[in-house]
Amino acid sequence: MRTVTALPLTVREDRHVWIPVRDGVRLAARIWRPERSDTAPVPAILEMIPYRQGDLTARRDSIHHPYLAGHGYAGVRVDLRGSGNSEGILTGEYLEQELTDAEDVLAWLAGQPWCTGRCGMMGISWGGFNALQVAARRPPGLDAVVTVSSTDDRYTDDVHYMGGCLLSDNLSWASTMFAYNSCPPDPAVVGDRWRQMWHQRLTGSGLWIADWLRHQRRDDFWRHGSICEDFSAVTCPVLAVSGWADGYTNSVFRLLAHLDGPRKGLIGPWSHKYPHLGEPGPAIGFLQEVVRWWDHWLKDVPTDVMDEPMLRIWMQETVPPLTAYEDRPGRWVGEPCWPSPDIRCSEHPLARGRVGMPGEQVRAEELTIESPLSVGQFAGKWCSYNAPPDLPYDQREEDGGSLVFDTDEFTDRCEILGSPIVALEVAASRPVAMIAVRLSDVAPDGRATRISYGLLNLTHRHGHEDPEPLIPGDRYTVSVQLNAMAQAVPPGHRLRVALSTSYWPLVWPPPEPVRLSVFTGTSRLVLPVRPIGGREEVPLRPFGDPEGAAPIPVSQLVAGDERWTVSRDLVRYTSALEVVKDLGVIRFDDNGLEVARRAYERYSWVGDDFGSVRGETEWTVTFERDDWKASTTTRTVLTSSATDFHIHAELHAYEGGRTVAGHEWDRTVPRDLV
């Protein structure tokens, strides 16, 4: 990324700003704005997240908020209540309290003498979620949003559940927030009350994973904050962004299809990162694009931003299977609207070991599969951060425990854009069963790169609100929608559909092993094909190079460590996936604060014993400056039986090396057809 040292406008920073909300709680904010805004007001851009603008996101914030300020905006970074230096307690995601706080912050911003009264919201992940959720409430002054890596549906397309299956990222993410919620405010900012605020958080934030596990179907808990409940509520312009390696690509397509107001979609090759920091590359000049967007909607500056294609995506070329990529080869293509009238569905019947040609009649057969628990150990993360390397590896070992169907070698190039569907006629040996469907690009040398996948808890075959147990032996027709994709398949390559009855540790397995029957003759693969040589592609305006403001200086005092290790003991039949993300020790040179973060995750099992699966996470976070030192260690263990989930969690807090708090939780949550 190119560092821009000379911005169009001189920027001032208001570093410690307190914004009051309606119940008297004060939220901590950091504001960058043009110096001349005292006499020439500017629009405000709000990013409101729980990740501590004083330290954990300080370097990232310093890259893009001053950049926006230098182009004529107030970049406003606010910590949610109960996080960072903000007062109060944070007890969950996207609560009503959070959304009313955001409305109050927007009203406060609009009333500042340096603000024109026009505001936007932007953010990645949590900040992208609440930007959409607040937009659906239509507060005065919110005129446009930029949402990156977010979703319109908190149940079907978020870190908790996928296709009615419990994701292991539910544990991973709960552990992340468990650690962050235990962090203290900075005494240099909040003063002597820091200790009281800290202990309020330690005792009051709660055990979020228990809340999430108590809601295993799509109920009101998940409907809250899911704007898909009423797309018409969002009327302001929306720029929706994601990456193919991210977990949130599907929502971009749904937002474009269902929102009525002005909207744009952008999907690159990136993982869960802003596109100007995008990995895998190529990264783009995203901040320039954001400025164009805000100029159009917040300043009424004539731009051609709405004259360009509604959807712009990176059409990916074939690559060998690796767990990380520096760059993904491909090209930018545009679609004037979504759904695109140019996409055609190509239906392919599934036969024994084969994916047939459209219109081909295949023999009706019963094929069976009962996958080992090891299928899934090379699945990567549901949501990739590209660090440590966490993308799916060569699928051939996974295919050994799966039903596999291959196409013939392609004789012509084929481009797929959209969500493939695998329609199946199935029967199961147990009342609760799941199916994982993987679509891979198979090279001439046999290496298999997963290009999309989908999951379905078969008890959710009629929807996620009211699951129904299966009747063993009965046949059911189900449809599994795979994640949206843009992939070119070259001549000489094949596509492979692989079906498995487990996908651990990406997905928590069913209560007991299941034998699944798949019936050919009625089962099929439906591919959304983007024609080659059809409608003439309009040349697209090239993106600029990625750039941002100069990041604040930091010093790496202790090197970090990243690991992703799969192990198997063939004497005891124990297997495990271990993930280490240790950021070492970083010092913020401007204020002398030293921060250390280390996360450890372990997902283990024994043979094919479904009752042996275990997820364990441990976080350590430390803050230190001069003679002040505070740290927390959080640990969560999730196990299960055929009837229940079992949670054990621990939280220990230390001040100056002395234990000041210790809490333990043991919770049992009944399984609800999961």
Side-chain angles (χ1 to χ4, degrees):
M1 187 190 71
R2 181 174 64 217
T3 297
V4 179
T5 56
L7 294 163
L9 299 175
T10 304
V11 177
R12 62 171 289 179
E13 178 185 353
D14 302 322
R15 188 159 192 173
H16 303 303
V17 179
W18 297 105
I19 299 179
V21 294
R22 66 190 68 179
D23 64 355
V25 166
R26 298 186 306 163
L27 304 183
R30 196 170 184 175
I31 300 174
W32 297 263
R33 57 189 176 91
E35 283 190 350
R36 70 181 193 184
S37 61
D38 286 334
T39 56
V42 296
I45 311 300
L46 171 63
E47 182 176 21
M48 191 167 169
I49 52 179
Y51 307 134
R52 303 178 60 92
Q53 42 88 5
D55 40 67
L56 300 190
T57 67
R59 187 169 173 85
R60 187 183 75 185
D61 296 340
S62 69
I63 290 171
H64 65 248
H65 284 296
Y67 184 94
L68 295 175
H71 287 83
Y73 296 91
V76 182
R77 174 66 176 83
V78 175
D79 284 333
L80 297 184
R81 72 165 60 207
S83 69
N85 295 317
S86 290
E87 299 172 348
I89 303 172
L90 183 61
T91 59
E93 299 175 308
Y94 322 120
L95 303 179
E96 178 66 18
Q97 182 68 68
E98 173 184 337
L99 304 182
T100 57
D101 283 352
E103 292 176 329
D104 291 348
V105 171
L106 287 167
W108 184 88
L109 293 173
Q112 297 308 298
W114 43 260
C115 181
T116 61
R118 304 179 72 175
C119 299
M121 286 187 72
M122 69 175 288
I124 182 171
S125 200
W126 195 307
F129 275 65
N130 63 25
L132 282 175
Q133 293 162 0
V134 174
R137 300 162 74 95
R138 303 183 191 176
L142 181 58
D143 292 328
V145 300
V146 174
T147 178
V148 183
S149 299
S150 72
T151 188
D152 58 313
D153 193 328
R154 293 183 55 216
Y155 181 82
T156 62
D157 220 13
D158 193 12
V159 72
H160 309 291
Y161 297 89
M162 181 178 179
C165 301
L166 175 65
L167 295 166
S168 63
D169 270 34
N170 184 74
L171 168 62
S172 175
W173 181 239
S175 303
T176 301
M177 292 312 302
F178 192 26
Y180 284 6
N181 291 338
S182 69
C183 293
D186 189 343
V189 177
V190 304
D192 292 340
R193 61 198 180 106
W194 77 271
R195 188 177 290 107
Q196 177 187 2
M197 293 172 65
W198 186 26
H199 283 269
Q200 286 177 339
R201 298 176 186 183
L202 294 173
T203 58
S205 292
L207 192 65
W208 293 11
I209 188 173
D211 293 336
W212 298 342
L213 280 177
R214 280 191 285 265
H215 298 274
Q216 295 168 42
R217 58 181 72 185
R218 193 177 189 277
D219 56 15
D220 287 341
F221 181 87
W222 302 110
R223 291 188 189 101
H224 171 76
S226 294
I227 69 158
C228 63
E229 294 294 302
D230 181 11
F231 282 110
S232 67
V234 178
T235 57
C236 72
V238 174
L239 173 59
V241 183
S242 191
W244 297 125
D246 197 2
Y248 294 101
T249 52
N250 299 319
S251 61
V252 174
F253 292 90
R254 289 194 300 269
L255 290 169
L256 297 186
H258 295 294
L259 292 179
D260 294 326
R263 60 218 186 265
K264 290 285 184 180
L266 171 65
I267 306 176
W270 318 297
S271 58
H272 199 67
K273 297 177 181 291
Y274 273 115
H276 56 295
L277 306 172
E279 297 175 336
I284 65 167
F286 180 63
L287 294 180
Q288 298 96 300
E289 299 302 311
V290 167
V291 168
R292 290 177 68 233
W293 178 260
W294 298 131
D295 282 351
H296 187 90
W297 294 112
L298 301 186
K299 291 183 179 178
D300 301 321
V301 173
T303 70
D304 58 357
V305 66
M306 296 307 294
D307 298 330
E308 298 173 349
M310 177 184 286
L311 174 63
R312 189 161 173 175
I313 60 97
W314 184 251
M315 177 63 69
Q316 301 192 127
E317 299 292 336
T318 187
V319 289
L322 297 173
T323 56
Y325 300 93
E326 184 174 343
D327 287 290
R328 285 295 304 263
R331 76 186 196 283
W332 290 107
V333 299
E335 293 291 341
C337 61
W338 194 265
S340 170
D342 296 327
I343 304 298
R344 61 176 178 84
C345 290
S346 179
E347 296 198 10
H348 301 258
L350 301 184
R352 178 180 290 271
R354 295 182 52 247
V355 176
M357 298 298 293
E360 179 183 347
Q361 297 298 313
V362 302
R363 179 182 175 186
E365 295 186 75
E366 179 181 1
L367 309 176
T368 61
I369 182 66
E370 185 173 328
S371 302
L373 272 174
S374 57
V375 175
Q377 62 185 343
F378 300 125
K381 290 278 280 185
W382 174 83
C383 182
S384 170
Y385 291 83
N386 213 50
D390 56 9
L391 294 173
Y393 192 48
D394 195 328
Q395 296 293 287
R396 284 177 289 184
E397 290 188 55
E398 311 277 56
D399 294 341
S402 309
L403 274 180
V404 172
F405 307 86
D406 283 3
T407 66
D408 294 335
E409 289 187 359
F410 280 66
T411 57
D412 298 305
R413 177 183 173 91
C414 175
E415 294 186 352
I416 304 168
L417 174 57
S419 297
I421 293 173
V422 174
L424 300 168
E425 185 179 0
V426 299
S429 64
R430 302 291 185 186
V432 179
M434 64 157 285
I435 188 166
V437 181
R438 308 189 310 279
L439 184 65
S440 296
D441 170 14
V442 182
D445 63 4
R447 289 184 292 178
T449 302
R450 197 191 74 193
I451 54 178
S452 187
Y453 75 104
L455 306 171
L456 180 62
N457 177 341
L458 294 175
T459 71
H460 288 233
R461 60 195 177 277
H462 298 308
H464 301 301
E465 287 80 7
D466 297 299
E468 301 173 2
L470 301 161
I471 298 175
D474 280 11
R475 292 192 184 193
Y476 301 94
T477 299
V478 300
S479 181
V480 183
Q481 180 172 304
L482 279 58
N483 285 335
M485 54 182 287
Q487 181 69 44
V489 184
H493 283 232
R494 293 170 288 145
L495 288 178
R496 173 173 295 162
V497 175
L499 312 178
S500 62
T501 57
S502 65
Y503 207 36
W504 169 252
L506 191 142
V507 181
W508 205 268
E512 52 190 342
V514 177
R515 176 164 294 182
L516 191 73
S517 295
V518 176
F519 299 93
T520 63
T522 52
S523 299
R524 65 194 185 277
L525 165 68
V526 183
L527 290 175
V529 176
R530 187 176 192 267
I532 297 173
R535 174 177 51 84
E536 182 179 354
E537 290 190 9
V538 177
L540 298 175
R541 176 187 56 82
F543 290 117
D545 293 332
E547 65 181 31
I552 59 172
V554 299
S555 299
Q556 187 81 43
L557 303 183
V558 177
D561 181 27
E562 294 179 344
R563 279 179 276 149
W564 185 283
T565 306
V566 173
S567 63
R568 183 175 298 171
D569 182 336
L570 294 181
V571 174
R572 298 175 180 84
Y573 302 106
T574 58
S575 301
L577 166 65
E578 294 181 284
V579 181
V580 174
K581 188 170 185 178
D582 185 345
L583 300 183
V585 180
I586 295 174
R587 182 182 64 217
F588 294 89
D589 295 342
D590 58 345
N591 63 13
L593 181 65
E594 297 177 10
V595 180
R597 280 184 289 172
R598 185 183 192 274
Y600 170 78
E601 302 175 18
R602 188 175 193 270
Y603 305 93
S604 60
W605 63 101
V606 179
D608 284 324
D609 180 2
F610 279 49
S612 70
V613 296
R614 174 186 174 96
E616 180 178 351
T617 66
E618 184 172 303
W619 272 78
T620 302
V621 187
T622 302
F623 301 88
E624 187 170 1
R625 181 198 291 115
D626 299 328
D627 59 351
W628 174 67
K629 182 177 182 179
S631 65
T632 60
T633 298
T634 52
R635 179 172 176 261
T636 309
V637 178
L638 179 63
T639 58
S640 63
S641 65
T643 57
D644 300 289
F645 291 106
H646 303 283
I647 308 165
H648 175 76
E650 301 174 11
L651 165 60
H652 301 279
Y654 308 91
E655 182 182 341
R658 178 175 58 90
T659 301
V660 295
H663 304 285
E664 290 194 21
W665 295 260
D666 285 287
R667 300 284 187 270
T668 296
V669 180
R671 297 182 79 141
D672 183 12
L673 298 178
V674 170

